[in-house]
Amino acid sequence: MNFQRGLVVAMAGVVLTLGACRGGEVADEAGPLPPVEIPTLTPESQPFRTRTSFANGVLSIDVPTPNGQPRTLDTVQDLEFTWARFLSRPVQPNHSSREWLLVDNHYDGRVLLYAVVSWNATDSTDYLAAGWWLLYPPDVPAWAIESATRGVFLDGPELDPANPPDLPVTGTATYVGGMGGLYTYNYGRAWGELAESTEVTEFAGPVSLTADFDQNRITGCLGCPGPIETAPGRHLAPAVPWGADDPAALPAGYDVHFAASIGANGAFEDIAVTVDHPDRTIVDSAGTWRGQFSNVPDVDGAPRRVVGSTDVLFAEHDGSHGRFTGIFDALTPATTTPPER
């Protein structure tokens, strides 16, 4: 999601002009530059479970609050805007989808929430809801994102922890889908006049995962099936201008690799995360990722879906450091392609 840009990138042309003569890594008349300080990387686990309901076309979502009392928003009372014409075709046969922007302007503070739902047109209890929220303290404007508490969610009957999946005991399954969220880049000294500044934008990218049920292991990658792209203003547009300029340091080129053990309940969580880039030297990376397999099988007997959330940080040799925070949803090809009859 695109929350806020920390600077105006009118300097992008200047950066390109300086590309051939950036002196960030060489000595000048005053002597060599001091060593680059590599930041300590401290990822945050991103819980994605919350209570939702979807009945008669109305979606409701519980938003946790610091005092422990959830704020419940729904698509009737709290509707700010809704649309579907920008959504891509649902990947599952016989499914429909819609997006909503919800706002709860309460005495205790404002909640700004984006939600997207895909549901079975013949069985509305078969649905998946996902999205992000911003929880603001009282009297804080919507554009002051740094003051808001951020949250993500993925929920639906097939992800109910009280009804875990019946996992296969052998074989493998592949999952393909997408991941989206927030991309942050803090510029190091090799970026000339952009050094020590920060840019934040939404990202969206393809994700692929492989479950090895013999080994109870799941591995995956964001960016390997195709480049990670920016999506400024795609969600929470009132808080972030639609179509804002891209950051100078694009997320394209990064590959984020994951690995975890699968629990008997179909859930997983791990810190086995690494980041690669063909042109930027990654000196450190750290992250958390967690997820859940669906309790609905595909036609081959494997869980039809795997979802989850991530928080990934990386540091580069010039002091630059970045972050990907988001959620993912991936399906087996047997789920998205109707079986031959």
Side-chain angles (χ1 to χ4, degrees):
M1 42 185 167
N2 173 4
F3 285 93
Q4 186 183 42
R5 295 171 56 87
L7 53 93
V8 177
V9 196
M11 299 179 190
V14 177
V15 174
L16 294 174
T17 303
L18 295 175
C21 57
R22 284 194 287 240
E25 306 302 327
V26 297
D28 58 19
E29 294 180 359
L33 292 170
V36 171
E37 181 178 352
I38 303 301
T40 301
L41 304 181
T42 309
E44 300 176 7
S45 184
Q46 299 293 316
F48 61 87
R49 295 193 186 280
T50 192
R51 189 198 68 82
T52 69
S53 67
F54 185 65
N56 300 318
V58 177
L59 172 70
S60 67
I61 308 105
D62 280 0
V63 177
T65 66
N67 65 14
Q69 298 298 317
R71 300 257 292 274
T72 301
L73 282 70
D74 68 58
T75 55
V76 174
Q77 175 176 290
D78 303 298
L79 177 65
E80 185 82 1
F81 193 70
T82 183
W83 64 102
R85 59 179 173 156
F86 300 114
L87 280 172
S88 57
R89 175 190 179 196
V91 295
Q92 291 177 264
N94 206 39
H95 274 64
S96 300
S97 61
R98 192 158 195 90
E99 297 173 300
W100 290 273
L101 187 67
L102 308 180
V103 177
D104 175 25
N105 189 31
H106 193 273
Y107 177 83
D108 293 335
R110 190 190 326 268
V111 177
L112 181 63
L113 184 149
Y114 164 81
V116 59
V117 176
S118 173
W119 70 93
N120 190 326
T122 60
D123 179 9
S124 62
T125 64
D126 176 12
Y127 75 91
L128 180 73
W132 298 266
W133 64 68
L134 295 170
L135 178 60
Y136 294 86
D139 301 321
V140 172
W143 55 85
I145 308 223
E146 69 281 357
S147 300
T149 301
R150 304 167 183 173
V152 298
F153 70 94
L154 285 154
D155 188 58
E158 64 184 292
L159 305 176
D160 185 355
N163 182 23
D166 184 14
L167 296 175
V169 295
T170 61
T172 63
T174 60
Y175 297 83
V176 292
M179 183 183 295
L182 184 67
Y183 167 68
T184 306
Y185 195 88
N186 304 274
Y187 291 93
R189 66 188 184 190
W191 287 90
E193 293 188 33
L194 290 176
E196 300 185 5
S197 62
T198 300
E199 291 190 284
V200 183
T201 190
E202 272 182 85
F203 78 88
V207 63
S208 60
L209 303 106
T210 300
D212 184 336
F213 297 111
D214 292 276
Q215 302 296 323
N216 291 321
R217 193 78 173 158
I218 182 170
T219 57
C221 180
L222 164 66
C224 294
I228 304 170
E229 299 178 345
T230 59
R234 182 65 182 81
H235 312 98
L236 301 177
V240 183
W242 176 271
D245 292 337
D246 281 337
L250 292 170
Y254 288 105
D255 292 338
V256 183
H257 300 268
F258 311 93
S261 297
I262 305 169
N265 61 352
F268 53 89
E269 183 173 2
D270 212 313
I271 59 172
V273 178
T274 59
V275 180
D276 297 324
H277 194 284
D279 302 316
R280 301 172 191 164
T281 304
I282 310 292
V283 295
D284 194 15
S285 58
T288 67
W289 79 304
R290 60 198 304 173
Q292 174 70 50
F293 283 91
S294 167
N295 58 26
V296 178
D298 66 13
V299 295
D300 296 324
R304 71 175 182 180
R305 164 177 270 129
V306 60
V307 307
S309 57
T310 66
D311 189 39
V312 178
L313 293 88
F314 60 90
E316 298 172 355
H317 75 291
D318 70 332
S320 298
H321 51 103
R323 187 173 191 171
F324 291 97
T325 305
I327 53 178
F328 63 88
D329 174 30
L331 296 157
T332 66
T335 300
T336 58
T337 303
E340 294 184 3
R341 299 185 185 279

